[in-house]
Amino acid sequence: GAVVSQHPSWVICKSGTSVKIECRSLDFQATTMFWYRQFPKQSLMLMATSNEGSKATYEQGVEKDKFLINHASLTLSTLTVTSAHPEDSSFYICSAHIVSYEQYFGPGTRLTVT
Amino acid sequence: EDQVTQSPEALRLQEGESSSLNCSYTVSGLRGLFWYRQDPGKGPEFLFTLYSAGEEKEKERLKATLTKKESFLHITAPKPEDSATYLCAVQANQGGKLIFGQGTELSVKP
């Protein structure tokens, strides 16, 4: 099956700093990538949809200036959490969308803001 | 409004005790219904995609079925390694984003 990687797998940062998370499709080109966040014991909540070469589309309630998404190529998308605060601590997961409409998920990144 | 509801929230089974998980959905034009397995601290692992009512798919001890209003994930003779959270998601005809249910946390005891 299709493989999606994320880096880093976990990160701890101080309040006020920025953190960048990378999402790569390893063995296929993804037309679209999605970013989700997941709080403990809750399901995945879509944050934004990212298409290569164009601006990301953010879901209602997600601050686009705080969660910067760059989709540099068909195999790489990045999420930067700017001026992180403790309430941004969460599990961030990306997924890559291939032609058959199936989405394959990365292993996730655990962000802890102290 | 597109919506997905999964039941039960949690399910405890003895090894070998077959059961079913339910996923009810309302969506303005279904492009696909997806089942994923998620282990703690990991990303969802793709299991099945179903596209039309009446469709069925199987993989080892799992079988997914689809009607116009709901999907079932049948687990036959489960083993402890089947313990995980099972997520159901729908994709509407308009756009590619997935709408997830809250998941069913399955625990299989030996």
Side-chain angles (χ1 to χ4, degrees):
Chain A
V3 180
V4 178
S5 71
Q6 279 185 245
H7 178 78
S9 56
W10 59 271
V11 57
I12 301 172
C13 70
K14 292 187 176 180
S15 186
T17 61
S18 295
V19 174
K20 179 184 284 187
I21 302 170
E22 291 187 350
C23 175
R24 294 181 184 272
S25 56
L26 297 184
D27 52 359
F28 65 100
Q29 292 185 328
T31 54
T32 305
M33 288 185 173
F34 300 86
W35 287 95
Y36 297 82
R37 66 188 297 181
Q38 186 177 33
F39 292 106
K41 297 293 184 181
Q42 295 188 22
S43 193
L44 281 73
M45 294 298 295
L46 180 65
M47 298 175 65
T49 302
S50 170
N51 291 293
E52 185 264 342
S54 62
K55 291 184 178 181
T57 302
Y58 291 82
E59 294 299 298
Q60 192 171 6
V62 177
E63 299 176 59
K64 60 181 65 178
D65 294 331
K66 181 169 188 61
F67 299 99
L68 301 179
I69 292 173
N70 181 276
H71 198 147
S73 73
L74 287 172
T75 60
L76 173 64
S77 177
T78 61
L79 168 68
T80 301
V81 183
T82 62
S83 186
H85 292 285
E87 57 265 31
D88 298 323
S89 298
S90 188
F91 192 50
Y92 291 87
I93 311 173
C94 72
S95 71
H97 175 198
I98 57 177
V99 176
S100 65
Y101 310 129
E102 295 174 355
Q103 287 189 27
Y104 293 88
F105 286 82
T109 296
R110 173 75 58 193
L111 170 63
T112 302
V113 184
T114 61
Chain B
E1 182 183 350
D2 299 337
Q3 194 170 1
V4 178
T5 303
Q6 289 186 247
S7 62
E9 290 186 10
L11 180 62
R12 293 189 176 190
L13 300 174
Q14 288 296 124
E15 184 171 3
E17 179 186 3
S18 301
S19 188
S20 296
L21 282 57
N22 177 263
C23 172
S24 298
Y25 65 91
T26 54
V27 64
S28 52
L30 179 69
R31 172 178 279 182
L33 184 142
F34 301 81
W35 282 98
Y36 290 90
R37 168 193 171 129
Q38 186 177 27
D39 292 299
K42 297 187 177 181
E45 174 189 346
F46 172 77
L47 293 174
F48 304 108
T49 309
L50 301 168
Y51 294 103
S52 58
E55 189 175 1
E56 299 182 352
K57 288 190 177 176
E58 287 188 67
K59 179 181 179 180
E60 296 181 352
R61 295 178 292 281
L62 301 176
K63 179 181 177 180
T65 62
L66 180 66
T67 71
K68 289 186 178 181
K69 295 183 178 181
E70 58 190 350
S71 176
F72 291 94
L73 183 66
H74 306 278
I75 302 178
T76 302
K79 297 181 178 181
E81 53 262 42
D82 294 322
S83 297
T85 295
Y86 290 84
L87 298 169
C88 170
V90 297
Q91 187 179 57
N93 280 332
Q94 298 299 322
K97 67 180 184 181
L98 296 180
I99 300 165
F100 280 88
Q102 288 299 104
T104 293
E105 186 175 357
L106 174 66
S107 175
V108 182
K109 300 298 182 184

